[in-house]
Amino acid sequence: MEYTIGEAAKRFNLNISTLRYYDKQGLIPNLQKNQSGNRIFDENAITCLITIECLKESGMSLKEIKTFIDWCKDGDLSLEKRLEMFLQQRKAVEAQIKELEDTLAYIDFKVGYYTQAVNDGTEQYVKESMINPRLFETVQ
């Protein structure tokens, strides 16, 4: 299956200019062009975009992603580097998830707090009875 740049942009919710930039930066190796000079996104290019967007979403910079793409071009010689990169990125994502879980716990506390206050018609009673879980967390 092949996609035009517009179709690929739509699939990934990206601007066409972003895909052109990725191509110019060498982030999509072996991107083919048709006879008119238009970029054609085949399954390899789509797989590359999936990887780029995943790594961006995980907090990796385009410079770091470019390094990964370059390592891929090196073939088996860079397998250990690529594995280590993904292991490190996994740790970073786990830390992000932990932060979001803490944030969600606090939001859940506030939902309970305000639900009770609305039911009571005042904050007076809920302030006296509810303990904020964040007050007792230790800073790490």
Side-chain angles (χ1 to χ4, degrees), residues 47-61 64-73 78-97:
T47 299
C48 190
L49 287 174
I50 290 169
T51 302
I52 291 168
E53 291 307 299
C54 173
L55 293 175
K56 274 180 36 187
E57 185 69 25
S58 74
M60 190 174 280
S61 71
E64 293 168 314
I65 294 169
K66 173 71 167 104
T67 298
F68 168 73
I69 298 296
D70 289 343
W71 287 343
C72 290
K73 292 177 190 175
S78 66
L79 287 174
E80 289 182 20
K81 290 179 188 177
R82 289 184 270 162
L83 172 61
E84 183 59 31
M85 184 211 71
F86 272 99
L87 290 171
Q88 291 300 317
Q89 206 58 25
R90 187 177 202 292
K91 287 180 186 177
V93 170
E94 287 173 338
Q96 291 171 358
I97 290 169

Side-chain angles (χ1 to χ4, degrees), residues 90-104:
R90 187 177 202 292
K91 287 180 186 177
V93 170
E94 287 173 338
Q96 291 171 358
I97 290 169
K98 173 69 173 115
E99 287 177 20
L100 286 172
E101 286 173 343
D102 291 346
T103 299
L104 182 59

Side-chain angles (χ1 to χ4, degrees), residues 11-139:
R11 180 172 175 179
F12 289 94
N13 197 29
L14 296 169
N15 294 320
I16 290 173
S17 61
T18 299
L19 293 180
R20 287 185 181 126
Y21 178 79
Y22 288 176
D23 182 28
K24 288 178 184 174
Q25 296 302 309
L27 294 172
I28 310 169
N30 305 314
L31 186 63
Q32 301 298 314
K33 293 186 178 182
N34 64 16
Q35 293 175 343
S36 302
N38 297 321
R39 293 167 178 88
I40 299 297
F41 290 79
D42 61 11
E43 290 303 317
N44 289 331
I46 295 298
T47 299
C48 190
L49 287 174
I50 290 169
T51 302
I52 291 168
E53 291 307 299
C54 173
L55 293 175
K56 274 180 36 187
E57 185 69 25
S58 74
M60 190 174 280
S61 71
L62 288 180
K63 182 179 179 182
E64 293 168 314
I65 294 169
K66 173 71 167 104
T67 298
F68 168 73
I69 298 296
D70 289 343
W71 287 343
C72 290
K73 292 177 190 175
D74 292 340
D76 291 347
L77 296 174
S78 66
L79 287 174
E80 289 182 20
K81 290 179 188 177
R82 289 184 270 162
L83 172 61
E84 183 59 31
M85 184 211 71
F86 272 99
L87 290 171
Q88 291 300 317
Q89 206 58 25
R90 187 177 202 292
K91 287 180 186 177
V93 170
E94 287 173 338
Q96 291 171 358
I97 290 169
K98 173 69 173 115
E99 287 177 20
L100 286 172
E101 286 173 343
D102 291 346
T103 299
L104 182 59
Y106 187 73
I107 289 171
D108 287 343
F109 164 77
K110 286 298 197 179
V111 166
Y113 176 96
Y114 287 112
T115 298
Q116 187 62 50
V118 166
N119 289 339
D120 293 343
T122 180
E123 285 185 85
Q124 178 183 354
Y125 307 116
V126 72
K127 278 185 179 180
E128 295 169 2
S129 66
M130 294 186 89
I131 298 173
N132 182 334
R134 285 242 168 143
L135 296 176
F136 298 100
E137 289 182 3
T138 57
V139 178

